[in-house]
Amino acid sequence: MKQNIIEKILTAHLREGEFIKGKEIGIRIDQTLTQDATGTMAYLQFEAMGLKEIKTDLSVSYVDHNTVQIGFENADDHKYLASVAARYGVVYSRPGNGICHQVHLERFGKPGTTLLGSDSHTPTGGGIGQVAIGAGGLDVAVAMGGGLFYTAAPKVYLVKLTGELQPWVTAKDVVLKMLELLSTKGNVGVMLEYGGPGVKKLSVPQRATIANMGAEMGVTCSVFPSDNVTKKFMKAQGREADWTGLKADRGAKYDRVIDIDLATLEPMAACPHSPGIIKKISELEGKQVDQVCIGSCTNSSYKDLMTTAEILKGRKINPDVSLGIAPGSRQVMQMLARKGALTAMLDSGARILESACGFCIGNHFSPKSGGVSIRTNNRNFEGRSGTADAQIYLTSPEVAAVAAVTGKFTDPRKAGIAYPAIKEPAAFLLDDSMLIKPAAGGAKTEIFRGPNIGEPPSNGKMPEQLDGRVMIVVGDKITTDHIMPAGARLKYRSNVPKYAQFVFENVDGTFAKRCLESKAAGAHNVIVAGESYGQGSSREHAAMCPMYLGVKAVVAKSFERIHAANLLNFGIAPLTFKNPADYDTIKAGDKLTCGDWRAAAAEGKPVILKNARTGASIECVCDLSARQRAILTAGGLLNHTTRK
Ligand code: MIC
Ligand code: SF4
């Protein structure tokens, strides 16, 4: 049978189920990655499973999110992560070594393999030809223990690239175009495969930028072929031996083909407050800018940052603009330093930030009230920057750097600046001294647990009958940043009772308290939502903390993939309205009850919720595999796995 690249990788890793579109398959995971904000819980859960060591080919624990270290909490978590890595055979990437996705691409990604990461931008690895998927920490913990990862056999879309990018038009503009075409919702169960003659004109880091923001479309992953460009990149990283070629068979089938002529693209921006609101820079021209931030896992390559330096060289930033630059890996930072590029940045007036997530997650560098900020990262959800009313635009580093100089949105093609033609280096600077490889005898390592490290919360079995109370009714496109804010609250990731106080903090500050009262009274809490509930991050805290607050079901018009999986993993039933109009009949405070949901779900019948106030019967779809029903019944994946 003729196979596309995604089918090749998935069938080579298939261990359970049949490859029938939409049906659940279990695949073997070769590599995992975690980052600190999701990793502490993932490793606590790994420990709770009672395994002796990891069973993957490679697992890496990165520290890149919580590096601000105000108070003891972050540093305690880092120490815990370092000790747990040494104990179980995981590579530990120290704080300062860079953002997980950037470092993984540079030092570990291998074409043709599977990578599961507890971060939604794990698909960045698709740039080097991996089926790289983001998941909740618990799924990653299970994969580290040798368990399979379950996902629906996907629909595969081919994105056929022709032509070549013109000066000042970038990989970021390709993915912004894709967001314009596919939008941020309705793509659950889709994997993207890039192909066509335009691919060989894109470097691996450019491909990675494109694969990275597939997460914003809600696709499971985006995969590029592995060709001579890939080989050259891996050779320059001293890893030629890890290279294998990978291409689709001639005549391979796709569910949809999307054509993009790279030569016709223009510099673009995603506008407030969604990565799916796309405009051309020419339409925004002249708009004043207060802040510019360059970096993140989307745009942190050597070429991105060298180009930025070239634009800034010999120029001063506009006096009304604050420019922050965070090279995404220590490798890039070291190379910039040796090339004198950091000097050019400093001379221009830029503020050099740590090689970490930083501004992207609203950990620092928040803009002023109502400020306009141009950023090169991937998400601009309302409030994510740490400033509730800031206006965040997402662009390429080229557009961002030019705006830092002019003080306003400027079409870089008309800025009178010579296009910096930076080449990919033939050899990257190789220094893995911040990657701590597990040593022999590591199993004896004592695990450090500071006062910030709590136990992962436990859950009882799922009740047979629901005595539900609607605690909140929210609208469409609720992101995990709405459900479980990060930024200043990030440091409580390892302390669920504390972190749970902030669930829906910016939507309804009374939610957590009301839930705890209702839980104490013996009721089952319910969240009612519109379309695309749980967009964005993989943070399982957006399910784990609601579980702690006694939430037993979320009833929504539709769910995003990772969040739906996280809800199940934490024993919360994701129920989809059969008739979306029923959403309008429910109010906060309503009592929703149902009989034995399991019997209905097992027979593939709708679960019927009765609304005591209106007397209406609401049909909900609970389309779960037998494995998923068992997880839900057990009260979550941890209960289910430890029992097994
Ligand atoms: C994000 O970009 O939202 C994050 C922070 O990297 C999250 C993970 C987290 O919340 O820890 C993600 O993308 O999964
Ligand atoms: Fe870090 Fe931002 Fe990338 Fe998330 S999207 S991993 S916060 S840089």
Side-chain angles (χ1 to χ4, degrees):
M1 206 183 97
K2 312 255 180 274
Q3 286 188 312
N4 58 46
I5 295 173
I6 288 171
E7 285 165 348
K8 283 186 187 185
I9 301 178
L10 289 180
T11 50
H13 289 81
L14 189 69
R15 297 291 180 275
E16 227 178 274
E18 265 186 275
F19 203 92
I20 302 170
K21 268 178 233 321
K23 290 270 172 262
E24 193 174 73
I25 51 171
I27 56 169
R28 177 188 142 81
I29 296 299
D30 301 319
Q31 302 189 338
T32 65
L33 70 78
T34 54
Q35 40 90 336
D36 52 312
T38 56
T40 8
M41 267 303 152
Y43 293 103
L44 284 165
Q45 291 167 141
F46 182 83
E47 285 190 77
M49 286 174 210
L51 297 162
K52 291 223 162 47
E53 59 181 6
I54 55 152
K55 298 265 174 26
T56 47
D57 298 346
L58 171 84
S59 289
V60 190
S61 170
Y62 293 92
V63 177
D64 53 4
H65 279 63
N66 273 321
T67 56
V68 178
Q69 296 173 227
I70 299 172
F72 62 93
E73 290 92 343
N74 299 163
D76 276 8
D77 286 3
H78 302 168
K79 182 84 181 141
Y80 166 76
L81 289 168
S83 61
V84 100
R87 166 88 159 250
Y88 293 106
V90 172
V91 177
Y92 177 65
S93 175
R94 299 180 59 191
N97 196 42
I99 305 174
C100 53
H101 311 304
Q102 172 77 20
V103 178
H104 206 84
L105 187 82
E106 292 168 355
R107 306 306 304 141
F108 299 112
K110 252 190 190 180
T113 61
T114 51
L115 166 68
L116 193 72
S118 63
D119 190 280
S120 66
H121 291 102
T122 304
T124 311
I128 206 164
Q130 291 189 288
V131 163
I133 301 179
L138 185 47
D139 281 331
V140 176
V142 168
M144 281 192 289
L148 303 182
F149 175 68
Y150 294 88
T151 188
K155 284 192 227 151
V156 181
Y157 295 178
L158 173 68
V159 187
K160 203 162 148 198
L161 303 178
T162 52
E164 199 173 343
L165 291 170
Q166 299 302 296
W168 297 106
V169 186
T170 66
K172 185 63 157 280
D173 302 306
V174 179
V175 75
L176 293 178
K177 182 72 193 174
M178 282 299 293
L179 273 152
E180 187 178 72
L181 294 173
L182 288 190
S183 89
T184 57
K185 67 180 175 71
N187 305 309
V188 174
V190 172
M191 295 190 184
L192 298 179
E193 183 169 314
Y194 286 81
V199 164
K200 60 175 185 296
K201 307 276 186 204
L202 298 172
S203 68
V204 167
Q206 286 177 312
R207 297 173 186 185
T209 293
I210 296 170
N212 174 280
M213 282 190 81
E216 278 49 71
M217 296 162 220
V219 299
T220 309
C221 63
S222 306
V223 184
F224 278 82
S226 170
D227 54 10
N228 276 332
V229 176
T230 322
K231 193 175 184 176
K232 251 173 92 183
F233 173 80
M234 294 184 76
K235 188 168 175 216
Q237 288 286 356
R239 303 200 291 119
E240 200 180 356
D242 282 349
W243 181 82
T244 38
L246 190 65
K247 62 176 184 193
D249 293 332
R250 198 177 279 271
K253 297 242 172 346
Y254 295 91
D255 293 280
R256 180 174 163 191
V257 178
I258 297 167
D259 286 294
I260 294 187
D261 178 355
L262 298 173
T264 61
L265 298 179
E266 291 192 32
M268 291 192 275
C271 306
H273 296 289
S274 167
I277 305 177
I278 307 295
K279 284 200 178 138
K280 292 182 179 143
I281 297 300
S282 53
E283 295 172 70
L284 297 163
E285 215 158 26
K287 189 177 177 57
Q288 295 293 317
V289 174
D290 302 295
Q291 186 195 58
V292 173
C293 304
I294 299 178
S296 91
C297 61
T298 318
N299 276 121
S300 271
S301 70
Y302 168 82
K303 185 171 186 289
D304 284 336
L305 277 295
M306 281 299 289
T307 305
T308 301
E310 267 314 293
I311 294 169
L312 296 176
K313 199 167 171 178
R315 300 187 168 89
K316 295 284 178 211
I317 60 169
N318 184 283
D320 293 326
V321 174
S322 172
L323 169 64
I325 303 177
S329 74
R330 182 163 163 273
Q331 181 184 75
V332 170
M333 184 84 109
Q334 285 171 308
M335 290 177 77
L336 294 177
R338 282 167 177 71
K339 293 262 176 197
L342 279 185
T343 311
M345 291 171 172
L346 284 170
D347 288 351
S348 75
R351 294 161 65 181
I352 306 299
L353 311 173
E354 199 181 4
S355 286
C357 297
F359 68 81
C360 175
I361 186 62
N363 232 344
H364 71 167
F365 226 73
S366 301
K368 70 170 197 194
S369 296
V372 172
S373 178
I374 296 189
R375 299 175 164 217
T376 66
N377 60 301
N378 45 38
R379 289 189 175 140
N380 57 348
F381 302 142
E382 197 169 3
R384 179 177 162 103
S385 67
T387 303
D389 58 357
Q391 306 286 311
I392 312 294
Y393 292 80
L394 309 174
T395 73
S396 65
E398 283 80 345
V399 167
V402 169
V405 173
T406 62
K408 49 187 196 254
F409 276 87
T410 308
D411 187 332
R413 298 169 299 183
K414 298 184 197 146
I417 298 176
Y419 181 65
I422 306 290
K423 294 240 168 341
E424 282 295 315
F428 289 93
L429 186 146
L430 303 181
D431 166 11
D432 286 340
S433 56
M434 299 279 276
L435 286 168
I436 311 300
K437 307 251 162 73
K444 296 202 191 82
T445 312
E446 199 182 320
I447 294 181
F448 172 89
R449 286 172 221 278
N452 191 44
I453 311 281
E455 289 290 310
S458 59
N459 195 23
K461 280 184 148 195
M462 182 76 174
E464 272 173 27
Q465 309 207 336
L466 195 70
D467 180 18
R469 300 287 182 283
V470 177
M471 302 310 290
I472 194 166
V473 178
V474 289
D476 290 343
K477 293 198 200 175
I478 290 295
T479 71
T480 51
D481 280 283
H482 289 110
I483 306 168
M484 204 58 266
R489 304 300 184 201
L490 257 183
K491 66 178 182 180
Y492 301 122
R493 283 285 175 93
S494 315
N495 183 345
V496 169
K498 177 78 188 172
Y499 199 29
Q501 290 172 15
F502 306 110
V503 176
F504 281 123
E505 182 187 17
N506 300 319
V507 180
D508 175 351
T510 67
F511 179 81
K513 190 168 168 280
R514 288 189 291 107
C515 279
L516 285 174
E517 284 162 8
S518 150
K519 180 184 173 187
H524 305 137
N525 297 329
V526 175
I527 294 167
V528 173
E531 300 245 37
S532 199
Y533 183 73
Q535 281 194 353
S537 138
S538 69
R539 66 189 70 146
E540 60 189 359
H541 296 78
M544 188 191 290
C545 292
M547 170 190 93
Y548 178 81
L549 298 178
V551 174
K552 294 289 179 204
V554 179
V555 194
K557 290 186 190 170
S558 64
F559 291 90
E560 283 303 306
R561 175 188 65 88
I562 305 180
H563 189 61
N566 283 338
L567 288 173
L568 273 177
N569 283 353
F570 289 94
I572 298 177
L575 302 176
T576 313
F577 287 108
K578 191 152 183 227
N579 174 11
D582 284 341
Y583 166 88
D584 299 315
T585 66
I586 304 180
K587 282 193 185 148
D590 280 358
K591 200 173 160 192
L592 299 179
T593 54
C594 85
D596 189 355
W597 64 274
R598 275 178 305 179
E603 289 169 34
K605 288 192 185 145
V607 170
I608 313 277
L609 298 177
K610 283 244 179 320
N611 189 338
R613 179 178 58 84
T614 61
S617 293
I618 299 166
E619 285 191 74
C620 295
V621 180
C622 184
D623 191 8
L624 303 178
S625 68
R627 185 191 67 88
Q628 290 170 323
R629 284 199 305 275
I631 292 173
L632 193 54
T633 307
L637 183 60
L638 197 54
N639 291 352
H640 180 70
T641 309
T642 38
R643 206 158 296 157
K644 261 171 111 182

